[in-house]
Amino acid sequence: KNEVEQSPQNLTAQEGEFITINCSYSVGISALHWLQQHPGGGIVSLFMLSSGKKKHGRLIATINIQEKHSSLHITASHPRDSAVYICAVETSSGDKLTFGTGTRLAVRP
Amino acid sequence: DTGVSQDPRHKITKRGQNVTFRCDPISEHNRLYWYRQTLGQGPEFLTYFQNEAQLEKSRLLSDRFSAERPKGSFSTLEIQRTEQGDSAMYLCAINTKVWGETQYFGPGTRLLVL
């Protein structure tokens, strides 16, 4: 069993829909990261969080430390949100990241 | 632009050849990470440096792999006697307090071993 599990693996949505991607982990962590990867490979950090909730534009990330679970929400989804979204954890501050396998999101116009 | 460049962006080589990749961060930082990503999977940790010191190596990093960070700034990753299974995207990332405590990734080097 992987230390970081994401669901769903693939997700197709219509433009404007509210999207949720889930991440569960089995180890103690100091922080959890949500990353976005576009075709071509570049990875961009969206959020780093260790508790509660963060919001940036149409993106919201939440984490429940007790349940070892995090969610990434996209409101009013747009085709440009189409990408792979990856959850990753670090077990101590500044340590290496352990990644989930990613969720491939396609938003159709 | 994440402030991390990698060179080359693409590399095609024949099995048995040696390849070297370079990672150049532009900002002040102390930690530099190498990850490998195969198709359809999330990245996997290979090794990381704090300044010049290589602090941890994954068991994925066989004897054919070596990484250096001679002056605590840029880093190189060399693969000797490449195998087809080495085909992957090799990603470099930095952890810097200048922009906040998160990891910033380079664009990656895509390696194809024929």
Side-chain angles (χ1 to χ4, degrees), chain A residues 33 35 37 40-45 47-48 86 90 92-102 104, chain B residues 2 9 31 33 35 37 40-45 48 56 89 91 95 101-107 110:
Chain A
H33 299 248
L35 309 157
Q37 186 171 32
I43 293 179
V44 175
S45 177
F47 295 104
M48 183 179 80
I86 305 173
E90 58 182 277
S92 63
S93 180
D95 200 4
K96 64 183 183 292
L97 297 181
T98 301
F99 298 81
T101 54
R104 185 174 299 275
Chain B
T2 62
R9 295 290 306 275
R31 291 197 173 186
Y33 308 81
Y35 298 97
Q37 185 178 26
Q41 300 297 313
E44 297 172 294
F45 169 75
Y48 90 91
E56 186 176 349
M89 173 79 87
L91 295 158
N95 176 296
E101 286 275 14
T102 187
Q103 290 198 13
Y104 295 88
F105 287 81
R110 189 174 295 279

